[in-house]
Amino acid sequence: DADVTQTPRNRITKTGKRIMLECSQTKGHDRMYWYRQDPGLGLRLIYYSFDVKDINKGEISDGYSVSRQAQAKFSLSLESAIPNQTALYFCATSDLTGDYNEQFFGPGTRLTVL
Amino acid sequence: AQTVTQSQPEMSVQEAETVTLSCTYDTSESDYYLFWYKQPPSRQMILVIRQEAYKQQNATENRFSVNFQKAAKSFSLKISDSQLGDAAMYFCAYRSPITQGGSEKLVFGKGTKLTVNP
């Protein structure tokens, strides 16, 4: 089974709808992240969380909110979706063990807002 | 703020040949971490190779190696004996050292699309 899972994998919705993207991990990592990928722009950080009581905004948090329900679960919500939020969304996890603390990514959720 | 630049939007290579993907970055920090991620058509982000700025020896992982030039702020990826499965988007990423209150965010370049021709 995958260490970092995201649901749904694909979603089409309409402008103004509320959408929740979910991320779960079995790696036991404390740190979790949400990134957005747009064509030609690479990935950009939306929100990050160091534990269940710690939530921080990234560089493009406007229009998004998050919830850290447990160490293993980190959800991203779009309260009122708009077409320019059409993108590929990635969840990632990391911890403080090892030298590099690299981030491990989920498979991504492709969101289309019509 | 740190920035990462990948100047080659697309590259192509013949199967079994060698290709080098370029990455430059801008930072005022003396210690940091650099990564190359591969994104095949499946969309999964796969870590290919990593390098810490304080380690002078270039990282190597099987057919993948880097040429890390700290003074030039350059971190290129060399793929030897290219295989069809190497076809993907490749992203260079920068991360600051972990500090109290830091975000540990990855700063990504815009990517290079690699095509491998049979």
Side-chain angles (χ1 to χ4, degrees):
Chain A
D1 289 338
D3 295 320
V4 184
T5 58
Q6 293 182 233
T7 55
R9 293 294 311 278
N10 297 279
R11 181 72 183 268
I12 300 173
T13 191
K14 294 182 178 180
T15 297
K17 295 292 187 180
R18 184 177 187 274
I19 294 296
M20 179 179 287
L21 309 183
E22 298 184 338
C23 176
S24 296
Q25 52 113 349
T26 59
K27 299 184 77 66
H29 289 171
D30 289 328
R31 288 156 155 75
M32 298 186 75
Y33 311 79
W34 276 105
Y35 289 89
R36 166 179 172 160
Q37 182 182 15
D38 296 280
L41 291 180
L43 280 73
R44 294 177 292 166
L45 184 66
I46 306 172
Y47 270 95
Y48 60 101
S49 169
F50 287 170
D51 62 44
V52 294
K53 298 180 181 179
D54 179 82
I55 302 290
N56 302 279
K57 293 183 177 180
E59 61 182 298
I60 54 165
S61 60
D62 287 349
Y64 301 95
S65 63
V66 291
S67 173
R68 185 81 183 267
Q69 301 95 323
Q71 185 205 36
K73 296 184 182 296
F74 191 37
S75 300
L76 176 71
S77 294
L78 288 69
E79 296 300 326
S80 179
I82 56 177
N84 75 2
Q85 291 178 314
T86 293
L88 186 55
Y89 291 85
F90 285 99
C91 174
T93 73
S94 71
D95 68 3
L96 291 181
T97 60
D99 294 334
Y100 292 89
N101 314 114
E102 61 259 38
Q103 295 181 18
F104 296 87
F105 286 80
T109 294
R110 182 169 298 284
L111 176 66
T112 302
V113 183
L114 301 176
Chain B
Q2 294 82 18
T3 59
V4 176
T5 302
Q6 293 180 248
S7 59
Q8 307 152 317
E10 297 187 20
M11 291 282 285
S12 63
V13 63
Q14 291 296 125
E15 196 175 4
E17 297 294 309
T18 295
V19 64
T20 298
L21 308 184
S22 300
C23 173
T24 59
Y25 55 93
D26 186 28
T27 185
S28 59
E29 296 173 322
S30 59
D31 192 21
Y32 45 86
Y33 299 83
L34 297 164
F35 304 87
W36 277 98
Y37 280 88
K38 170 185 177 181
Q39 186 180 42
S42 66
R43 311 187 315 214
Q44 182 74 47
M45 294 290 287
I46 302 166
L47 179 63
V48 174
I49 201 164
R50 57 194 187 180
Q51 174 88 39
E52 182 180 1
Y54 264 112
K55 294 184 177 179
Q56 296 183 354
Q57 185 173 3
N58 289 326
T60 299
E61 290 286 343
N62 300 313
R63 297 182 295 106
F64 297 87
S65 62
V66 298
N67 183 5
F68 173 50
Q69 302 289 328
K70 189 173 184 180
K73 298 180 182 177
S74 172
F75 183 60
S76 60
L77 175 69
K78 185 172 82 171
I79 306 174
S80 303
D81 186 24
S82 296
Q83 301 176 359
L84 295 177
D86 294 334
M89 284 290 290
Y90 286 83
F91 292 96
C92 179
Y94 172 104
R95 204 203 76 218
S96 299
I98 293 176
T99 59
Q100 186 71 25
S103 73
E104 302 161 29
K105 73 172 184 179
L106 288 170
V107 178
F108 285 87
K110 295 182 179 182
T112 296
K113 182 179 180 181
L114 179 65
T115 301
V116 181
N117 300 310

PDB file of all heavy atoms in Angstrom, chain B residues 5-21:
ATOM      1  N   THR B   5      15.848  28.175 -10.987  1.00  0.00           N
ATOM      2  CA  THR B   5      15.645  28.375 -12.417  1.00  0.00           C
ATOM      3  C   THR B   5      16.085  27.152 -13.208  1.00  0.00           C
ATOM      4  O   THR B   5      17.219  26.692 -13.066  1.00  0.00           O
ATOM      5  CB  THR B   5      16.436  29.602 -12.911  1.00  0.00           C
ATOM      6  OG1 THR B   5      16.018  30.761 -12.187  1.00  0.00           O
ATOM      7  CG2 THR B   5      16.191  29.836 -14.392  1.00  0.00           C
ATOM      8  N   GLN B   6      15.183  26.649 -14.008  1.00  0.00           N
ATOM      9  CA  GLN B   6      15.515  25.580 -14.959  1.00  0.00           C
ATOM     10  C   GLN B   6      15.335  26.182 -16.342  1.00  0.00           C
ATOM     11  O   GLN B   6      14.230  26.467 -16.757  1.00  0.00           O
ATOM     12  CB  GLN B   6      14.598  24.377 -14.747  1.00  0.00           C
ATOM     13  CG  GLN B   6      14.830  23.694 -13.416  1.00  0.00           C
ATOM     14  CD  GLN B   6      13.907  22.507 -13.216  1.00  0.00           C
ATOM     15  OE1 GLN B   6      13.021  22.521 -12.356  1.00  0.00           O
ATOM     16  NE2 GLN B   6      14.129  21.466 -13.988  1.00  0.00           N
ATOM     17  N   SER B   7      16.431  26.385 -17.016  1.00  0.00           N
ATOM     18  CA  SER B   7      16.419  27.164 -18.252  1.00  0.00           C
ATOM     19  C   SER B   7      16.023  26.364 -19.487  1.00  0.00           C
ATOM     20  O   SER B   7      15.856  26.938 -20.564  1.00  0.00           O
ATOM     21  CB  SER B   7      17.797  27.785 -18.475  1.00  0.00           C
ATOM     22  OG  SER B   7      18.778  26.767 -18.560  1.00  0.00           O
ATOM     23  N   GLN B   8      15.879  25.068 -19.336  1.00  0.00           N
ATOM     24  CA  GLN B   8      15.545  24.203 -20.475  1.00  0.00           C
ATOM     25  C   GLN B   8      14.120  23.671 -20.304  1.00  0.00           C
ATOM     26  O   GLN B   8      13.912  22.701 -19.592  1.00  0.00           O
ATOM     27  CB  GLN B   8      16.515  23.028 -20.552  1.00  0.00           C
ATOM     28  CG  GLN B   8      17.981  23.424 -20.557  1.00  0.00           C
ATOM     29  CD  GLN B   8      18.850  22.322 -19.956  1.00  0.00           C
ATOM     30  OE1 GLN B   8      18.485  21.735 -18.938  1.00  0.00           O
ATOM     31  NE2 GLN B   8      19.989  22.044 -20.564  1.00  0.00           N
ATOM     32  N   PRO B   9      13.138  24.258 -20.949  1.00  0.00           N
ATOM     33  CA  PRO B   9      11.769  23.744 -20.806  1.00  0.00           C
ATOM     34  C   PRO B   9      11.632  22.317 -21.332  1.00  0.00           C
ATOM     35  O   PRO B   9      10.864  21.525 -20.792  1.00  0.00           O
ATOM     36  CB  PRO B   9      10.932  24.708 -21.648  1.00  0.00           C
ATOM     37  CG  PRO B   9      11.765  25.932 -21.765  1.00  0.00           C
ATOM     38  CD  PRO B   9      13.200  25.465 -21.756  1.00  0.00           C
ATOM     39  N   GLU B  10      12.397  21.996 -22.388  1.00  0.00           N
ATOM     40  CA  GLU B  10      12.332  20.657 -22.961  1.00  0.00           C
ATOM     41  C   GLU B  10      13.722  20.201 -23.388  1.00  0.00           C
ATOM     42  O   GLU B  10      14.548  21.006 -23.832  1.00  0.00           O
ATOM     43  CB  GLU B  10      11.402  20.639 -24.179  1.00  0.00           C
ATOM     44  CG  GLU B  10       9.952  20.981 -23.871  1.00  0.00           C
ATOM     45  CD  GLU B  10       9.041  20.773 -25.073  1.00  0.00           C
ATOM     46  OE1 GLU B  10       9.423  20.038 -25.994  1.00  0.00           O
ATOM     47  OE2 GLU B  10       7.937  21.353 -25.075  1.00  0.00           O
ATOM     48  N   MET B  11      13.951  18.910 -23.234  1.00  0.00           N
ATOM     49  CA  MET B  11      15.192  18.289 -23.697  1.00  0.00           C
ATOM     50  C   MET B  11      14.842  16.936 -24.294  1.00  0.00           C
ATOM     51  O   MET B  11      13.838  16.311 -23.911  1.00  0.00           O
ATOM     52  CB  MET B  11      16.172  18.094 -22.535  1.00  0.00           C
ATOM     53  CG  MET B  11      16.741  19.373 -21.960  1.00  0.00           C
ATOM     54  SD  MET B  11      18.040  20.052 -22.995  1.00  0.00           S
ATOM     55  CE  MET B  11      19.383  18.905 -22.610  1.00  0.00           C
ATOM     56  N   SER B  12      15.701  16.477 -25.203  1.00  0.00           N
ATOM     57  CA  SER B  12      15.511  15.132 -25.737  1.00  0.00           C
ATOM     58  C   SER B  12      16.853  14.426 -25.797  1.00  0.00           C
ATOM     59  O   SER B  12      17.904  15.070 -25.882  1.00  0.00           O
ATOM     60  CB  SER B  12      14.863  15.181 -27.127  1.00  0.00           C
ATOM     61  OG  SER B  12      15.714  15.833 -28.039  1.00  0.00           O
ATOM     62  N   VAL B  13      16.797  13.115 -25.719  1.00  0.00           N
ATOM     63  CA  VAL B  13      18.012  12.299 -25.726  1.00  0.00           C
ATOM     64  C   VAL B  13      17.702  10.980 -26.407  1.00  0.00           C
ATOM     65  O   VAL B  13      16.565  10.489 -26.345  1.00  0.00           O
ATOM     66  CB  VAL B  13      18.520  12.087 -24.285  1.00  0.00           C
ATOM     67  CG1 VAL B  13      17.510  11.303 -23.454  1.00  0.00           C
ATOM     68  CG2 VAL B  13      19.882  11.403 -24.262  1.00  0.00           C
ATOM     69  N   GLN B  14      18.703  10.412 -27.047  1.00  0.00           N
ATOM     70  CA  GLN B  14      18.549   9.088 -27.627  1.00  0.00           C
ATOM     71  C   GLN B  14      18.749   8.043 -26.531  1.00  0.00           C
ATOM     72  O   GLN B  14      19.572   8.219 -25.626  1.00  0.00           O
ATOM     73  CB  GLN B  14      19.563   8.861 -28.734  1.00  0.00           C
ATOM     74  CG  GLN B  14      19.337   9.687 -29.992  1.00  0.00           C
ATOM     75  CD  GLN B  14      18.034   9.349 -30.678  1.00  0.00           C
ATOM     76  OE1 GLN B  14      17.198  10.205 -30.931  1.00  0.00           O
ATOM     77  NE2 GLN B  14      17.849   8.059 -30.968  1.00  0.00           N
ATOM     78  N   GLU B  15      17.991   6.991 -26.653  1.00  0.00           N
ATOM     79  CA  GLU B  15      18.141   5.874 -25.722  1.00  0.00           C
ATOM     80  C   GLU B  15      19.610   5.460 -25.661  1.00  0.00           C
ATOM     81  O   GLU B  15      20.295   5.411 -26.695  1.00  0.00           O
ATOM     82  CB  GLU B  15      17.270   4.716 -26.195  1.00  0.00           C
ATOM     83  CG  GLU B  15      17.016   3.637 -25.178  1.00  0.00           C
ATOM     84  CD  GLU B  15      16.037   2.596 -25.691  1.00  0.00           C
ATOM     85  OE1 GLU B  15      15.616   2.672 -26.871  1.00  0.00           O
ATOM     86  OE2 GLU B  15      15.674   1.698 -24.907  1.00  0.00           O
ATOM     87  N   ALA B  16      20.096   5.214 -24.451  1.00  0.00           N
ATOM     88  CA  ALA B  16      21.465   4.779 -24.153  1.00  0.00           C
ATOM     89  C   ALA B  16      22.478   5.929 -24.129  1.00  0.00           C
ATOM     90  O   ALA B  16      23.631   5.713 -23.743  1.00  0.00           O
ATOM     91  CB  ALA B  16      21.958   3.695 -25.097  1.00  0.00           C
ATOM     92  N   GLU B  17      22.057   7.116 -24.520  1.00  0.00           N
ATOM     93  CA  GLU B  17      22.955   8.263 -24.482  1.00  0.00           C
ATOM     94  C   GLU B  17      22.868   8.961 -23.127  1.00  0.00           C
ATOM     95  O   GLU B  17      22.078   8.581 -22.252  1.00  0.00           O
ATOM     96  CB  GLU B  17      22.615   9.232 -25.615  1.00  0.00           C
ATOM     97  CG  GLU B  17      22.799   8.648 -27.011  1.00  0.00           C
ATOM     98  CD  GLU B  17      24.254   8.357 -27.319  1.00  0.00           C
ATOM     99  OE1 GLU B  17      25.098   9.245 -27.129  1.00  0.00           O
ATOM    100  OE2 GLU B  17      24.534   7.211 -27.754  1.00  0.00           O
ATOM    101  N   THR B  18      23.680   9.997 -22.986  1.00  0.00           N
ATOM    102  CA  THR B  18      23.733  10.768 -21.744  1.00  0.00           C
ATOM    103  C   THR B  18      23.139  12.150 -21.961  1.00  0.00           C
ATOM    104  O   THR B  18      23.327  12.757 -23.023  1.00  0.00           O
ATOM    105  CB  THR B  18      25.190  10.899 -21.268  1.00  0.00           C
ATOM    106  OG1 THR B  18      25.681   9.596 -20.936  1.00  0.00           O
ATOM    107  CG2 THR B  18      25.286  11.789 -20.030  1.00  0.00           C
ATOM    108  N   VAL B  19      22.430  12.638 -20.963  1.00  0.00           N
ATOM    109  CA  VAL B  19      21.826  13.967 -21.046  1.00  0.00           C
ATOM    110  C   VAL B  19      22.037  14.692 -19.726  1.00  0.00           C
ATOM    111  O   VAL B  19      22.086  14.061 -18.656  1.00  0.00           O
ATOM    112  CB  VAL B  19      20.326  13.862 -21.374  1.00  0.00           C
ATOM    113  CG1 VAL B  19      19.546  13.167 -20.274  1.00  0.00           C
ATOM    114  CG2 VAL B  19      19.716  15.229 -21.683  1.00  0.00           C
ATOM    115  N   THR B  20      22.196  16.006 -19.807  1.00  0.00           N
ATOM    116  CA  THR B  20      22.369  16.818 -18.611  1.00  0.00           C
ATOM    117  C   THR B  20      21.289  17.884 -18.552  1.00  0.00           C
ATOM    118  O   THR B  20      21.100  18.637 -19.514  1.00  0.00           O
ATOM    119  CB  THR B  20      23.758  17.482 -18.596  1.00  0.00           C
ATOM    120  OG1 THR B  20      24.763  16.456 -18.573  1.00  0.00           O
ATOM    121  CG2 THR B  20      23.918  18.360 -17.364  1.00  0.00           C
ATOM    122  N   LEU B  21      20.599  17.946 -17.419  1.00  0.00           N
ATOM    123  CA  LEU B  21      19.559  18.944 -17.185  1.00  0.00           C
ATOM    124  C   LEU B  21      20.117  20.017 -16.257  1.00  0.00           C
ATOM    125  O   LEU B  21      20.728  19.707 -15.239  1.00  0.00           O
ATOM    126  CB  LEU B  21      18.325  18.289 -16.550  1.00  0.00           C
ATOM    127  CG  LEU B  21      17.759  17.066 -17.267  1.00  0.00           C
ATOM    128  CD1 LEU B  21      16.481  16.595 -16.575  1.00  0.00           C
ATOM    129  CD2 LEU B  21      17.517  17.327 -18.728  1.00  0.00           C
TER     130      LEU B  21
END
